[in-house]
Amino acid sequence: MTTTTRPARDDSNGRSAQPVTSAARERLLATASGLFYREGIRAVGVERILAEAPATRATFYRHFPSKDDLVVAYLRGVDAGIRAQVQAAVEAAPSPADAIRAIGDAVADDLASPEFRGCAFLKAAAEYPDPQDPVRQVILEHRAWYTDTLTELFAEVFGDSPRRGKPEHAARHFMMMRDGAMSGAHLDGVEDVGEAFRRGVEGLLTMLH
């Protein structure tokens, strides 16, 4: 049976105790993650999650003191998956430009997935507008990491070219195109949007330096 590991707690002497594992926590998180992504966070209540997991209310609150704690765990799981995907693309690519292309290809491929329902972070941001909300903070942290990663890659691509563009501008342009593609793919046609996004990424690589 697969289990999820929670962070280790410190004992009274300041030493890290052994991680606590719980199949129930993983089941709750997996169930909630699927529902949140497909139907929206506010639209899914705790009772629905408990019914589909299934789990008792006591089990739920033992692992997640509130629904928002569960939402944070859901988004951190999405964040971890995207970070792993980007890291794999960077490590496998023969050059920084190819790494950016690979990241762009992964975005375009996601658009065509039957399970695709848009960007989990953009959808969550629409439901949590308060910049001080812990959920919103996870969203902002993810986007900052994504933009910083792209900025570093574009800096390597542009190098010392006399026509060198600003890497941070290219990274933000990539993010803007990504947001637009993820928001409009099902409205404007997945294949057309995916190809337009790929052309846009190639343009960033070849026109700015």
Side-chain angles (χ1 to χ4, degrees):
M1 179 180 295
T2 305
T3 57
T4 295
T5 301
R6 289 189 289 168
R9 297 178 179 176
D10 290 340
D11 63 20
S12 60
N13 295 317
R15 295 186 299 268
S16 293
Q18 290 298 314
V20 178
T21 60
S22 171
R25 183 184 189 278
E26 179 174 318
R27 188 170 63 252
L28 283 163
L29 182 55
T31 300
S33 296
L35 291 171
F36 289 159
Y37 183 64
R38 291 191 303 272
E39 302 182 20
I41 296 170
R42 302 288 192 192
V44 177
V46 171
E47 292 298 332
R48 172 86 180 279
I49 297 167
L50 295 180
E52 296 202 16
T56 65
R57 183 173 287 273
T59 298
F60 178 91
Y61 287 112
R62 184 163 62 248
H63 294 292
F64 303 103
S66 71
K67 180 184 172 183
D68 280 354
D69 289 306
L70 177 59
V71 175
V72 166
Y74 153 60
L75 291 175
R76 290 206 182 282
V78 178
D79 171 69
I82 294 174
R83 287 180 187 245
Q85 184 183 59
V86 169
Q87 184 63 29
V90 171
E91 291 178 352
S95 71
D98 286 323
I100 292 171
R101 290 188 182 98
I103 294 170
D105 286 342
V107 171
D109 290 344
D110 282 345
L111 303 180
S113 168
E115 293 79 25
F116 181 74
R117 298 292 184 275
C119 172
F121 292 96
L122 292 178
K123 292 167 66 174
E127 298 194 64
Y128 289 84
D130 182 357
Q132 302 305 316
D133 192 290
V135 173
R136 186 80 172 200
Q137 289 298 310
V138 175
I139 298 166
L140 296 177
E141 288 169 11
H142 170 79
R143 290 180 66 82
W145 161 80
Y146 205 122
T147 303
D148 289 347
T149 300
L150 290 168
T151 299
E152 292 174 5
L153 289 170
F154 275 113
E156 293 184 58
V157 172
F158 296 163
D160 297 323
S161 169
R163 298 178 57 201
R164 186 179 191 272
K166 291 187 176 181
E168 62 272 22
H169 290 176
R172 289 171 187 154
H173 198 151
F174 184 109
M175 289 292 291
M176 180 181 68
M177 293 192 304
R178 173 186 174 276
D179 290 349
M182 288 192 156
S183 299
H186 288 304
L187 294 173
D188 301 322
V190 170
E191 290 187 8
D192 289 344
V193 170
E195 287 305 311
F197 177 73
R198 285 188 170 97
R199 288 195 300 272
V201 172
E202 197 62 34
L204 291 175
L205 291 169
T206 59
M207 296 175 63
L208 294 182
H209 70 291

